[in-house]
Amino acid sequence: MSSAFGAHHARTHVQNLNPNASSLLAGIEIPNHSSFNGISDSSSSDCDFSSPEKTETSDGREEGGSDFDVAKPSVKLHLKHRSPGQTPMPAKESLFHSAASDVTRIQTLHKRILEKKIRNMVTKPKKHDESSAVKLIAEAPAVKESYAGKLMGTLKSGVTLGSGEYFMDVFLGTPPKHFSLILDTGSDLNWIQCTPCHDCFEQTGPHYDPKESSSYRNISCHDRRCSLVSSPDPPRPCKAEDESQTCPYFYWYGDSSNTTGDFATETFTVNLTTNVDGHKQQHQEVQVENVMFGCGHWNRGLFHGAAGLLGLGRGPLSFASQLHSLYGHSFSYCLVDRDSNSSVSSKLIFGEDKDLLKNPELNFTSLIGGNEAPVDVFYYVHIKSVLVGGETLDIPEHTWDLTSDGFGGTIVDSGTTLSYFADPAYNIIKKAFMEKIKGYPLVNDFPILEPCYNVSGIADYKKDLPSFGILFNDGAVWNFPVENYFIKLEPEEIVCLAVLGTPRSALSIIGNYQQQNFHIMYDTKKSRLGFAPTRCADV
C-alpha cells in the first residue's frame, strides 16, 4: 500500500525527480514527529468475505493461546484490477504517481520505527506489553456466532486512479451502508471519514454518519481499550466525572496525511458463502459485531476517493487480528497483474485455504517476530541474498539484518508498489543486471528507474532478461517471473528494472509489483510467509 500524501506534495515529488539519480530515495530524510502512530494508504474497492468456524475457545489471539485445532472459516475477497468503464492510466504516468507515493510511504515506515524506538526508550515496556494489548481485545464483546463457509469480498486495483494499491468494499453499520476502504497490510487501525466531517478529503459517496447506525458505540476514554490508540498531540484530558467522554485517536501517515476522531465499535456486514450438497453454493449476509475502528472527523491526504482504510497489519487493532476468533491466524491474497481488465478479479482469503496448502509449488519462509521485530505491525522476513541470472550475488549478509536500534530488515508490504532494497544491496543488484543484459540499447534519460532498455520491435525480449529471485536465511527461495521485476512502458517500448534503492539504514521492502500472480499467505500462528506462483484470476 503506498502511503497517503497531500496532492500538492505528491506533485512536488514527481517534478523534482532527478533524471540522473541512481536511486529515487537517495537523499531521503527521516523526519521526527512525536505523535506518529500509523502507516500507509490507497484508493477505492469492492469486497466479499468468507470465514472459518469459530471454536468455543475465546483465547488464542497470541502465541501461547489456543492451538485452534478446530477448523476455522475462511474469508475470500475478490480482487478487481479496475472499475468497469475506466480507462487505464498510461504506464509512465501511473509509475510516477506510484513512485511518489512510495517515497512518502518509506518516510512514514522510517518514522514509525523511530517513534517505536523513542517510545521504548521512554517507557521501557515490559516483555508482555503486546499480549496485554491482545487481552484488551479479548475482553471486548466477542463475535457470538460460529460460521462455516467463506466470507467473500471484492478488491480493486487503484492503477487507473494513479495509485499502486488495492481497495476493498465494506458494509458498515445497522442498517449496513457501502464504503470503499484502502487495504493496508502495513498498518493496524481501521478508520473511516465520519460526519460531522470538520476537515476531510474528497471521497466517492457520502460520509459515514454514526447517528444513522443503531450499532455504533463510542469507546469511553476511561475504557482500557483506549490505551490501544495514540492520542492527539497535545492529549485531551480524560475527566474523571465524565464517564461518557469519548476516546480520541490520532493516526499519522506521512506529510500532511492523518486521521483524528473518536475510537469506537461498529458492525461490519459481510457475505457468507457455504457449499450445499458439496457443490451448490448458498449465500447469506452475516454480521461481525464490535469491530474497533476510528470514526475520523479530521482527515487529510490524497486517498483517491476512498472513504478510509482497512488495516491488515500484525498489530492487535487490525481487521485481521480482531477476526482471529472467526478465521484463526492466517490470511492470504492473490493480486492480479496490473494490466488486467475490469472483468478480472482475484481474492483476499481469511482463514486456511486448503487449495493453497495443496499447491506443490507453495514455499514458506519464516516471519521474524517477538524481540527481533522492532515494530509489531510489520511482516518481517530475513533475506540472505539475491539471485540474478542464477548467480547468488556477493552481498554482505549484514546488509539485510535488523540493527540494534531497530532499522534495517525486510518487510513484505502490499501497500508499497515497487520493491526497495538497502542501497548497498541495490547497487550490487543493478550492476549484476547491467552486466548480464547484452544486445539492447541502454536508455539513460528515464527519470525514475534504471537500468532501462529499448526493446522496440522485439516480441520475445523477456527470454533475454536474467532471472531474479530472493534467497532467504532459512533456505527458501522466491523466484519471480520477468513481468514482476521489469516494467514495460508504452508507447516508448522501454523496459526498466522495477526495483529501487533506499538508504543504508532503511528498510528493504518487497512491494506489490513483485507479488503479482503469487498466492501469498500470512500465517502468524506458525510465524511464516507462504508464496506460490498462481494465475490469480483463476483463484
Side-chain angles (χ1 to χ4, degrees), residues 250-312:
F250 175 82
Y251 224 66
W252 187 84
Y253 291 91
D255 295 334
S256 62
S257 299
N258 56 70
T259 175
T260 304
D262 297 318
F263 194 36
T265 64
E266 186 52 287
T267 295
F268 284 66
T269 299
V270 294
N271 293 325
L272 181 68
T273 302
T274 55
N275 289 326
V276 180
D277 300 327
H279 60 276
K280 185 180 177 183
Q281 289 192 331
Q282 187 175 35
H283 303 275
Q284 68 180 99
E285 288 187 346
V286 297
Q287 294 181 331
V288 182
E289 300 176 348
N290 303 305
V291 176
M292 288 178 281
F293 81 113
C295 186
H297 301 294
W298 294 268
N299 314 287
R300 291 188 175 186
L302 186 60
F303 290 89
H304 304 288
L309 186 145
L310 193 75
L312 287 179

Side-chain angles (χ1 to χ4, degrees), residues 129-382:
D129 276 357
E130 187 177 343
S131 60
S132 298
V134 174
K135 285 178 183 176
L136 291 180
I137 300 234
E139 290 168 4
V143 178
K144 298 175 183 176
E145 298 183 53
S146 177
Y147 306 128
K150 293 181 176 180
L151 294 172
M152 306 294 293
T154 304
L155 286 131
K156 295 186 250 187
S157 166
V159 166
T160 56
L161 299 171
S163 168
E165 300 134 349
Y166 287 79
F167 322 119
M168 175 176 151
D169 282 354
V170 300
F171 294 85
L172 192 67
T174 307
K177 294 188 177 179
H178 164 265
F179 300 94
S180 290
L181 303 183
I182 293 157
L183 195 73
D184 189 355
T185 60
S187 64
D188 61 346
L189 179 70
N190 312 298
W191 61 270
I192 193 168
Q193 296 202 114
C194 288
T195 59
C197 236
H198 303 299
D199 184 9
C200 290
F201 54 84
E202 187 176 345
Q203 74 175 58
T204 302
H207 298 139
Y208 165 79
D209 188 347
K211 291 181 180 178
E212 294 181 357
S213 172
S214 61
S215 51
Y216 175 85
R217 299 287 184 274
N218 276 317
I219 292 175
S220 165
C221 65
H222 297 280
D223 193 310
R224 289 179 63 208
R225 289 175 291 172
C226 190
S227 64
L228 295 172
V229 292
S230 286
S231 298
D233 187 9
R236 187 190 310 165
C238 189
K239 300 175 183 176
E241 66 277 10
D242 186 0
E243 291 294 327
S244 64
Q245 185 178 342
T246 60
C247 172
Y249 76 89
F250 175 82
Y251 224 66
W252 187 84
Y253 291 91
D255 295 334
S256 62
S257 299
N258 56 70
T259 175
T260 304
D262 297 318
F263 194 36
T265 64
E266 186 52 287
T267 295
F268 284 66
T269 299
V270 294
N271 293 325
L272 181 68
T273 302
T274 55
N275 289 326
V276 180
D277 300 327
H279 60 276
K280 185 180 177 183
Q281 289 192 331
Q282 187 175 35
H283 303 275
Q284 68 180 99
E285 288 187 346
V286 297
Q287 294 181 331
V288 182
E289 300 176 348
N290 303 305
V291 176
M292 288 178 281
F293 81 113
C295 186
H297 301 294
W298 294 268
N299 314 287
R300 291 188 175 186
L302 186 60
F303 290 89
H304 304 288
L309 186 145
L310 193 75
L312 287 179
R314 209 169 178 176
L317 282 178
S318 78
F319 193 70
S321 297
Q322 291 192 60
L323 266 66
H324 276 169
S325 61
L326 274 180
Y327 67 81
H329 290 257
S330 68
F331 71 91
S332 62
Y333 56 68
C334 201
L335 305 179
V336 294
D337 65 78
R338 292 160 61 92
D339 298 323
S340 303
N341 62 41
S342 60
S343 65
V344 178
S345 66
S346 57
K347 297 176 179 67
L348 169 66
I349 302 168
F350 284 99
E352 199 171 77
D353 189 311
K354 293 179 180 177
D355 291 335
L356 174 59
L357 292 174
K358 292 175 185 175
N359 190 323
E361 295 186 83
L362 177 63
N363 206 344
F364 287 100
T365 189
S366 299
L367 288 171
I368 298 174
N371 295 331
E372 298 171 272
V375 180
D376 55 12
V377 170
F378 299 159
Y379 296 99
Y380 284 92
V381 291
H382 192 170

Side-chain angles (χ1 to χ4, degrees), residues 468-517:
F468 179 63
I470 293 174
L471 172 63
F472 294 100
N473 203 50
D474 53 13
V477 178
W478 192 348
N479 291 311
F480 302 94
V482 170
E483 52 270 21
N484 283 35
Y485 56 94
F486 270 93
I487 185 168
K488 188 173 184 182
L489 305 172
E490 303 286 7
E492 293 90 344
E493 302 224 1
I494 293 171
V495 294
C496 298
L497 183 64
V499 170
L500 288 167
T502 54
R504 175 65 182 86
S505 62
L507 284 170
S508 292
I509 303 167
I510 301 173
N512 65 42
Y513 196 86
Q514 281 192 261
Q515 297 176 42
Q516 296 174 92
N517 283 315

